[in-house]
Amino acid sequence: IEVTETPVEVTETPVEVTETPVEAPVEVTETPAETPIEVTETPVEAVETPVGVTETPAETPIEVTETPVEVTETPAETPIEVTDTPVEAPVAVTETPVESPVAVIETPVEAPVAVTETPVESPVAVIETPVEAPQARACTWTYDNLDWGSLDCDQTCDGSLQSPVSVMSYQAEEELTALKFVGYGATEAKLVEKDSTIVVEFEDYEASFLPGYELKELHIHIGSENNFFGYKRDQTLHLIHRSKSGGIAILAILYEINPPTSTHVPDLTILAPIVDNLNTINSSSSVSIQFPGFASLFNSLKASNTDGYVNFKGSLTTPPCTEGVDWFIMLQPQALSSTQYEIIKKRINNNVRPVKRTLKNVAAYVPPSIVTKSSTKQVNVVVVDKNYFVGFWIIFALFVVVLVTLILAAFLLKSPSDGYSQV
């Protein structure tokens, strides 16, 4: 209470100090010597006083606002009070920034971590996308426009190892042996229509003639794409085998409609489930079928010693025309039912790519019954297709008959003077 009254006197003192500045410093110098003693004793109360001071600032601003003039007139003493006050104020201010930078420093430390992690995942996604991108560029094509080399897709249809080919001659290679067919029994499969042909798709099917390869699908061509000596057959089956590493091996079986006098009996079982279900599929639907397999056919080829084949490198015969395909074309054409042929032809037609290459001296496996081994590794085989021999002898026989007929006619039409009567 006494301290509160003292400031009232101090407020009046400035007027005197201003008038007698010489003496004022003397009194001021003496007063602080005693004042610190009192101040030192009262800090204990001063600690409690701030509570009161904190409560009164709400009213104090109102008075300060009303008396700005007095504050202006007494700047000499105001700094003294202000000087005492900022001593504590800086402490608070100094402490605050110490914590503030810490918060600021911690925030950026976490921010880069988040930014750094994001790009690490982002490139992974970008790298995976291009791998799938080539597969997404599927080729849209038809047999009406065979300029497949200009297709805007991932394709090699203008490559140097394109198929189909025309085999003009082949050579028996001792390194090539008879194909060993494993599996190929009856199984469930899916019948679909796509890419201008009829396709039978297999899944987890035990069927292989090369180690590491499995039969994945077969499809039908009306006519023959690959051929021997330029002579085309009526129908071809392509058996597409694939390996886990991406390799492709195609076994081609040629079919021909037998003439009435042929002793070959068509095997109706292979194409039967296909023919019977053609009306139940279209380009957007499929049907499950029970496929009889090729075991009986391959066994008969082996038994009759007609399992010869030629082997060469080529390509797929439809876009993307992938090269590096191993082709195996059976030498012996199989008999084809004209009824089955006509049914399939009504559904698909004109699905044959023109010949892209002509090959000579193609490596072949020729059964021992057809070729007599010599001392050399290679034995030239001129023609092993017996149909060529049959055709030749038929033509030769007709020629002989016509010739004999002409000779007899000329002999019988001689004049009577030669001893014969004119007919």
Side-chain angles (χ1 to χ4, degrees):
I1 297 171
E2 293 177 359
V3 174
T4 304
E5 293 176 358
T6 303
V8 176
E9 295 176 1
V10 174
T11 303
E12 295 175 357
T13 304
V15 179
E16 296 177 359
V17 172
T18 304
E19 293 176 358
T20 59
V22 176
E23 297 178 356
V26 175
E27 294 176 358
V28 171
T29 303
E30 293 176 356
T31 302
E34 297 176 356
T35 302
I37 297 171
E38 295 178 357
V39 172
T40 303
E41 294 176 354
T42 56
V44 176
E45 296 178 359
V47 174
E48 298 175 356
T49 304
V51 178
V53 174
T54 304
E55 295 175 355
T56 54
E59 298 177 357
T60 303
I62 298 172
E63 296 178 358
V64 172
T65 304
E66 293 176 357
T67 60
V69 178
E70 296 179 359
V71 174
T72 305
E73 293 177 357
T74 60
E77 295 178 358
T78 302
I80 296 172
E81 296 176 356
V82 173
T83 303
D84 293 338
T85 304
V87 171
E88 298 176 356
V91 174
V93 173
T94 304
E95 293 174 354
T96 303
V98 170
E99 298 176 355
S100 181
V102 174
V104 172
I105 292 170
E106 291 176 354
T107 303
V109 169
E110 297 177 354
V113 174
V115 173
T116 304
E117 291 176 353
T118 303
V120 170
E121 298 176 357
S122 183
V124 175
V126 172
I127 292 171
E128 291 176 354
T129 303
V131 174
E132 299 177 354
Q135 299 179 356
R137 296 185 61 210
C139 297
T140 301
W141 55 274
T142 65
Y143 283 101
D144 296 328
N145 181 8
L146 294 172
D147 185 19
W148 294 342
S150 62
L151 292 174
D152 184 19
C153 61
D154 295 329
Q155 47 84 15
T156 57
C157 297
D158 282 339
S160 59
L161 289 177
Q162 290 295 291
S163 297
V165 304
S166 181
V167 178
M168 302 307 294
S169 64
Y170 50 86
Q171 295 178 325
E173 294 279 356
E174 288 189 352
E175 287 78 3
L176 295 179
T177 59
L179 299 177
K180 296 180 180 180
F181 298 102
V182 178
Y184 295 97
T187 184
E188 185 175 348
K190 183 169 68 173
L191 182 66
V192 298
E193 180 182 2
K194 63 180 181 180
D195 296 336
S196 301
T197 188
I198 303 300
V199 181
V200 179
E201 297 179 344
F202 303 95
E203 185 175 357
D204 299 328
Y205 182 38
E206 184 182 355
S208 175
F209 70 96
L210 285 178
Y213 286 78
E214 288 186 354
L215 178 62
K216 296 300 181 181
E217 73 171 58
L218 75 84
H219 59 256
I220 303 173
H221 290 276
I222 296 298
S224 58
E225 294 188 310
N226 298 289
N227 65 72
F228 293 99
F229 318 110
Y231 183 76
K232 295 186 177 181
R233 306 297 180 177
D234 297 312
Q235 181 175 292
T236 309
L237 293 186
H238 285 171
L239 282 64
I240 314 297
H241 298 71
R242 296 181 183 272
S243 69
K244 293 182 179 180
S245 61
I248 304 175
I250 301 179
L251 180 67
I253 304 175
L254 306 176
Y255 282 83
E256 186 173 18
I257 299 175
N258 288 335
T261 57
S262 174
T263 57
H264 290 78
V265 178
D267 185 356
L268 304 179
T269 58
I270 294 177
L271 297 177
I274 299 176
V275 172
D276 294 343
N277 290 278
L278 279 182
N279 293 331
T280 63
I281 63 170
N282 53 47
S283 58
S284 59
S285 65
S286 61
V287 63
S288 294
I289 62 172
Q290 189 64 29
F291 188 73
F294 292 95
S296 61
L297 171 62
F298 294 150
N299 290 336
S300 66
L301 291 177
K302 191 75 172 177
S304 61
N305 230 7
T306 56
D307 55 346
Y309 62 89
V310 294
N311 174 229
F312 59 89
K313 287 286 187 179
S315 74
L316 296 178
T317 59
T318 58
C321 310
T322 306
E323 295 187 336
V325 175
D326 272 314
W327 279 93
F328 298 80
I329 304 178
M330 305 302 294
L331 294 175
Q332 178 65 48
Q334 301 303 304
L336 175 65
S337 163
S338 59
T339 302
Q340 290 181 334
Y341 170 77
E342 291 298 334
I343 293 175
I344 296 174
K345 186 179 179 180
K346 288 180 181 179
R347 190 61 180 267
I348 58 171
N349 197 6
N350 186 32
N351 65 342
V352 172
R353 188 188 191 191
V355 170
K356 293 299 177 182
R357 292 182 294 155
T358 299
L359 303 182
K360 295 181 179 180
N361 300 327
V362 180
Y365 166 73
V366 181
S369 62
I370 298 178
V371 175
T372 302
K373 294 184 178 180
S374 66
S375 59
T376 61
K377 284 189 174 182
Q378 295 184 342
V379 179
N380 292 327
V381 180
V382 181
V383 173
V384 295
D385 188 353
K386 69 176 185 179
N387 290 318
Y388 281 96
F389 290 101
V390 173
F392 171 80
W393 287 112
I394 291 176
I395 294 174
F396 179 78
L398 290 175
F399 173 79
V400 171
V401 170
V402 171
L403 181 61
V404 171
T405 301
L406 291 175
I407 294 174
L408 291 176
F411 182 80
L412 294 175
L413 291 176
K414 281 186 176 182
S415 61
S417 59
D418 294 330
Y420 293 94
S421 61
Q422 189 173 358
V423 179

